[in-house]
Amino acid sequence: MSVQKREKRQHVDRKEGLAMNMTQIMALIIFLVVMALIMTEKIDRTVAAIGGAMLMVLFKVIPSDKVVGYIDFNTIGVLIGMMLFVGVIKNSGLFEYLAIFTAKKAKGDAWKILISFAVITAVLSGLLDNVTTVLLIGPMTLIITQILQLNPIPFLITEILASNIGGTATLIGDPPNIMIGSAAGLGFNDFIMNVAPAAFVVLIVTVAILYFVYCKKLCVEEQFKKEVMELDEKKAIKDKALLIKSLVGMALVLIGFITHDQLGVSSAIVALSGAALMLLIGKQDVEEVICHIEWPTIIFFAGLFVLVGGLEEVGLIHALANSLISITAGKPVMMMILLLWLSAIVSSFLDNIPFVATLIPLILTMGQQGVDITPLWWAVSLGACFGGNGTLIGASANVVLANIGKKNGHPIGFGQYMKVGFPLMILSVVISTIYLLIRFA
């Protein structure tokens, strides 16, 4: 090659390198601005995510023909399926029945009701999803506490904590787990075996500590206890036939999630099949049920996947993976603990969904470089889900339940919640650290 041609080639290489650097800078700026907007809530998070995704395309960070490829349709499918499923079964009155039945079994004792509602919230958060669960449990909590003449805020705070803890235990309980399961090819049973034990311990410890925090504040006069005992839970059942169908449908969906790996179908197929079954046999107004799909959430996820895809497209995720491997000297245990605490702290102040969306391709890249990434998935799951308990903006369920309280005249202050939630979050991560070290070190 002549000197002139060599110099021309070097000039072209420098231009291409500069162009790539400029593209990386543009991708990073777009990503950070969108994250800032989501965190500060200056504009709606759905608008921020979809706007950022479009900027990634307009500034040619992502070629337009690759956009759809970055959207995780398994995650989208699980969310839509479960939203439709719950949209049908909630019309049976099942959740109202559970609330009244529980309050009566506790004989109006406020502390027993608080524990019972926490357990119900945790269990339903694992079987349905935590956002849907708090949408159903929150209003019933307000009704029961109003009858008992109690401040509902201790109940609402406890339910926020329980929803995130319960959601941690299963594949479908919390959106970050749905995303992790889809990206890593992990099934329902994998989450039950690897994160549910830690969630169970954290729930017990959390309830025990809340006893000392709230017990003396939960005193109920006998006359109000009698009012609760006079409630008829059977009247809460709006449609007995639908209730029976709902219980059968829930059992079938649960079996489907447990066995979907063996059946060779994705978790999205299970969720959408369950939704289709309930729409078919539930005989409910289909248009009304479809209105229960939280389309802003679905669009938010789609935009977020494209936004993070931009970072992956320009090689920033690969660079971050190399940096993390370098910081931890390539030791899986150190990476696991670092990701656990990083996920928890960041997820306390930034909605855990976008943060996990950023970490997923990072971990996949490390896997391609020979790192054993199996423990890293569980570290991120525990850190992001438990980290959501740190502040009121840490997880979607927190915001939803806080809004329910605010609309009914019982606002939960950011600092008021953080005094309880953040120390308990730190404790849950300490427990998770011990658990992961015992299991994977």
Side-chain angles (χ1 to χ4, degrees), residues 292-307:
H292 284 93
I293 296 177
E294 297 172 39
W295 290 114
T297 300
I298 301 301
I299 296 170
F300 169 70
F301 268 97
L304 193 61
F305 286 132
V306 175
L307 193 68

Side-chain angles (χ1 to χ4, degrees), residues 155-433:
F155 291 80
L156 296 177
I157 290 176
T158 301
E159 286 162 11
I160 288 173
L161 295 166
S163 70
N164 288 318
I165 294 170
T168 306
T170 70
L171 168 69
I172 59 173
D174 209 353
N177 282 0
I178 299 173
M179 296 160 68
I180 290 169
S182 179
L186 298 169
F188 193 89
N189 293 340
D190 293 316
F191 280 85
I192 293 294
M193 294 297 293
N194 289 284
V195 293
F200 180 72
V201 173
V202 168
L203 181 63
I204 292 174
V205 172
T206 298
V207 170
I209 291 174
L210 289 175
Y211 175 81
F212 295 101
V213 176
Y214 291 131
C215 185
K216 293 181 180 179
K217 299 177 183 178
L218 301 176
C219 298
V220 181
E221 295 181 20
E222 288 299 321
Q223 67 183 80
F224 300 131
K225 290 183 180 180
K226 289 179 181 178
E227 287 186 35
V228 167
M229 296 305 294
E230 289 171 1
L231 294 173
D232 186 357
E233 64 272 25
K234 293 179 182 178
K235 291 181 179 178
I237 301 299
K238 302 169 189 174
D239 187 332
K240 189 173 181 180
L242 180 59
L243 174 65
I244 295 170
K245 293 173 184 176
S246 298
L247 292 173
V248 172
M250 288 176 70
L252 290 174
V253 168
L254 183 59
I255 292 170
F257 278 123
I258 292 172
T259 61
H260 77 92
D261 280 339
Q262 290 78 12
L263 295 173
V265 297
S266 68
S267 52
I269 295 300
V270 173
L272 290 168
S273 297
L277 175 66
M278 290 310 301
L279 286 169
L280 181 65
I281 67 175
K283 298 180 180 179
Q284 301 299 297
D285 187 326
V286 176
E287 290 187 7
E288 180 189 340
V289 173
I290 290 175
C291 285
H292 284 93
I293 296 177
E294 297 172 39
W295 290 114
T297 300
I298 301 301
I299 296 170
F300 169 70
F301 268 97
L304 193 61
F305 286 132
V306 175
L307 193 68
V308 175
L311 300 182
E312 191 173 356
E313 181 72 21
V314 298
L316 285 174
I317 296 294
H318 184 78
L320 283 171
N322 287 336
S323 298
L324 188 60
I325 292 171
S326 177
I327 291 170
T328 58
K331 297 178 180 177
V333 173
M334 289 182 65
M335 286 186 202
M336 179 179 72
I337 301 306
L338 177 62
L339 283 175
L340 171 67
W341 282 91
L342 182 64
S343 300
I345 300 300
V346 174
S347 294
S348 290
F349 297 95
L350 174 68
D351 192 310
N352 53 18
I353 295 169
F355 183 69
V356 170
T358 309
L359 285 180
I360 284 172
L362 180 72
I363 295 173
L364 289 173
T365 301
M366 287 192 286
Q368 293 167 3
Q369 296 179 12
V371 176
D372 179 13
I373 59 174
T374 301
L376 305 187
W377 294 123
W378 307 128
V380 172
S381 172
L382 290 170
C385 295
F386 288 153
N389 274 336
T391 71
L392 268 182
I393 60 172
S396 301
N398 307 19
V399 178
V400 169
L401 203 47
N403 285 340
I404 291 173
K406 185 178 180 180
K407 288 178 182 177
N408 289 272
H410 300 285
I412 302 173
F414 189 92
Q416 179 185 20
Y417 174 84
M418 195 170 178
K419 286 179 183 177
V420 178
F422 199 82
L424 285 171
M425 181 277 291
I426 293 295
L427 180 59
S428 69
V429 180
V430 170
I431 292 171
S432 299
T433 302

Side-chain angles (χ1 to χ4, degrees), residues 15-126:
K15 284 184 68 178
E16 288 178 352
L18 180 61
M20 177 57 72
N21 288 335
M22 289 302 295
T23 306
Q24 288 179 333
I25 291 169
M26 182 57 66
L28 187 59
I29 289 172
I30 293 171
F31 179 80
L32 292 176
V33 168
V34 172
M35 289 299 106
L37 290 172
I38 292 173
M39 187 173 180
T40 58
E41 299 180 322
K42 292 293 183 183
I43 63 174
D44 184 86
R45 70 176 190 170
T46 300
V47 176
I50 202 69
M54 290 304 97
L55 286 174
M56 289 286 190
V57 178
L58 291 173
F59 283 97
K60 302 187 184 303
V61 175
I62 300 179
S64 57
D65 60 343
K66 286 189 176 182
V67 170
V68 174
Y70 280 111
I71 298 175
D72 186 344
F73 286 100
N74 187 64
T75 297
I76 300 293
V78 171
L79 289 169
I80 291 177
M82 293 310 296
M83 287 174 184
L84 288 171
F85 185 82
V86 173
V88 175
I89 67 174
K90 79 180 211 48
N91 292 331
S92 68
L94 171 63
F95 302 100
E96 291 88 342
Y97 176 90
L98 274 175
I100 296 171
F101 178 81
T102 302
K104 288 180 70 174
K105 282 296 181 181
K107 297 182 178 179
D109 184 292
W111 172 244
K112 290 179 181 178
I113 292 173
L114 185 143
I115 294 176
S116 300
F117 278 22
V119 172
I120 289 172
T121 301
V123 171
L124 289 179
S125 291

